[in-house]
Amino acid sequence: MTYVGPSASHAEKSHPTEEGTVGRATVKDVVAAYVGLTKPRVIELLLLTTIPVMFFAERGVPDVWKVLATVVGGALSAGAASAYNCVYDRDIDEQMRRTKRRALPRHVVTPRAALVFATVLAVLSTAVLWQFVNGLSAALSVTAIAFYVFVYTMLLKRRTTQNIVWGGIAGCFPTLIGWTAVTGELAWEPVVLFMVVFFWTPPHTWALALRYREDYANVDVPMLPVVAPAATVGRQIVLYSWVMVATSLLLWPVAGTGWFYPVAAVVLGAVFLVEAHRMWGRTRRSDVLSEIAPMRLFHNSNLYLSLLFVAVAIDPLIG
């Protein structure tokens, strides 16, 4: 069984010049490019873990204006972190199939303009959360941005196979922000949900990295599927999946939920574990990407997290 090894070519590559070359583009193209810098799909997923936690913290329907302010502030915060990431990673984004159509690789936006845009979003997100939610939620938002940019993007991503394990912590903060937006303080309940997202991140990201492992290899980003056989990746995905499901069940005794959440967590967890084991089985039989079909697990992971947090929101409403 073979696997993709790291490339030696990245050392010869550097970031594009600071000024860049903005090609001819319409206003619509430029607006779309700036929106793309925020990675809207990532924002959607992050908000999907924020809003249900607010329902859970309120044990009912939270104040609509508080939800709106938290959503706006959280979206701006996530967009800022993503835009900073696009600026720093523009050299490798230009060479990867999955990312080469982003704004900076296409030179629709200059690196300097993107950096200013990211900073404006970060300032606005902090101001919105501080003014209309509370200081603790704003501080958590700033911490999430800093962690994603400095710890994951700049320190871990290009240096270790554990990049998304620890770097994924940034994506767990919405659970804390949603809770503190309602209660003004931290508690064990959002910490449990924080850990669910933490253990969910490696299976989710490694499945995607399996699909694009050659891209990551070509730019010397040591994602686990780049430096390890597919069977090893499959085994790690299964291990993290089991811990994720077990952690999700902790919310039941810790928060004293009703019957709906634990039932949903068991059913969703069982479905996810079956798919994770099936993919591991495929990796043990073959290293061929088309036979492994990692995107099945990737899409399943999105559905799992979405429905689990919907259950978090519904449980107090029917309890």
Side-chain angles (χ1 to χ4, degrees):
M1 183 176 292
T2 60
Y3 59 93
V4 179
S7 165
S9 61
H10 181 67
E12 302 173 1
K13 298 162 186 167
S14 61
H15 284 97
T17 61
E18 179 65 21
E19 292 298 326
T21 303
V22 179
R24 294 182 179 275
T26 65
V27 172
K28 181 179 179 181
D29 291 334
V30 175
V31 171
Y34 276 105
V35 172
L37 287 173
T38 67
K39 302 180 184 178
R41 290 185 180 180
V42 174
I43 292 177
E44 290 175 9
L45 193 61
L46 293 177
L47 293 181
L48 193 58
T49 60
T50 303
I51 298 173
V53 174
M54 297 184 73
F55 277 75
F56 193 68
E58 186 68 39
R59 294 298 192 270
V61 180
D63 178 74
V64 64
W65 295 111
K66 184 66 68 69
V67 173
L68 181 61
T70 306
V71 165
V72 171
L76 291 170
S77 175
S82 294
Y84 280 126
N85 173 266
C86 286
V87 173
Y88 189 82
D89 279 349
R90 62 190 184 275
D91 60 331
I92 62 177
D93 283 351
E94 202 166 42
Q95 302 168 58
M96 296 178 65
R97 289 172 297 167
R98 187 172 64 88
T99 57
K100 66 181 180 181
R101 298 300 300 168
R102 289 177 178 172
L104 288 168
R106 290 190 296 121
H107 306 293
V108 179
V109 177
T110 65
R112 182 173 298 170
L115 186 62
V116 171
F117 176 65
T119 303
V120 170
L121 291 183
V123 172
L124 285 176
S125 69
T126 306
V128 168
L129 291 172
W130 188 279
Q131 180 67 32
F132 300 106
V133 184
N134 57 56
L136 179 55
S137 296
L140 289 168
S141 171
V142 172
T143 303
I145 294 173
F147 196 96
Y148 186 74
V149 175
F150 296 109
V151 178
Y152 170 66
T153 301
M154 300 178 67
L155 180 63
L156 298 177
K157 183 174 181 178
R158 308 192 191 200
R159 290 181 172 86
T160 173
T161 58
Q162 296 298 300
N163 46 21
I164 55 91
V165 175
W166 301 108
I169 288 175
C172 306
F173 272 83
T175 60
L176 305 182
I177 294 171
W179 182 274
T180 58
V182 173
T183 68
E185 60 184 13
L186 290 171
W188 284 111
E189 293 93 325
V191 172
V192 171
L193 293 170
F194 179 104
M195 295 308 298
V196 171
V197 180
F198 176 79
F199 290 118
W200 168 87
T201 302
H204 169 78
T205 309
W206 285 334
L208 182 66
L210 266 172
R211 169 67 177 82
Y212 293 100
R213 59 184 177 181
E214 291 184 2
D215 275 3
Y216 285 111
N218 288 337
V219 295
D220 284 350
V221 174
M223 300 294 287
L224 184 63
V226 172
V227 301
T232 299
V233 179
R235 182 174 67 249
Q236 289 295 310
I237 285 176
V238 165
L239 291 174
Y240 272 93
S241 298
W242 273 100
V243 177
M244 174 193 71
V245 173
T247 304
S248 72
L249 294 174
L250 282 178
L251 189 65
W252 180 20
V254 168
T257 70
W259 63 269
F260 183 79
Y261 174 79
V263 170
V266 167
V267 173
L268 293 170
V271 172
F272 190 90
L273 288 172
V274 167
E275 186 57 41
H277 276 274
R278 283 177 175 171
M279 197 190 83
W280 183 27
R282 294 193 296 270
T283 62
R284 293 162 69 185
R285 294 190 298 269
S286 172
D287 197 57
V288 178
L289 192 61
S290 60
E291 296 179 9
I292 297 173
M295 295 304 287
R296 284 182 52 182
L297 183 68
F298 174 78
H299 294 304
N300 187 278
S301 68
N302 284 331
L303 185 61
Y304 167 83
L305 195 70
S306 301
L307 293 179
L308 184 74
F309 274 82
V310 167
V312 167
I314 291 177
D315 186 86
L317 298 179
I318 65 175

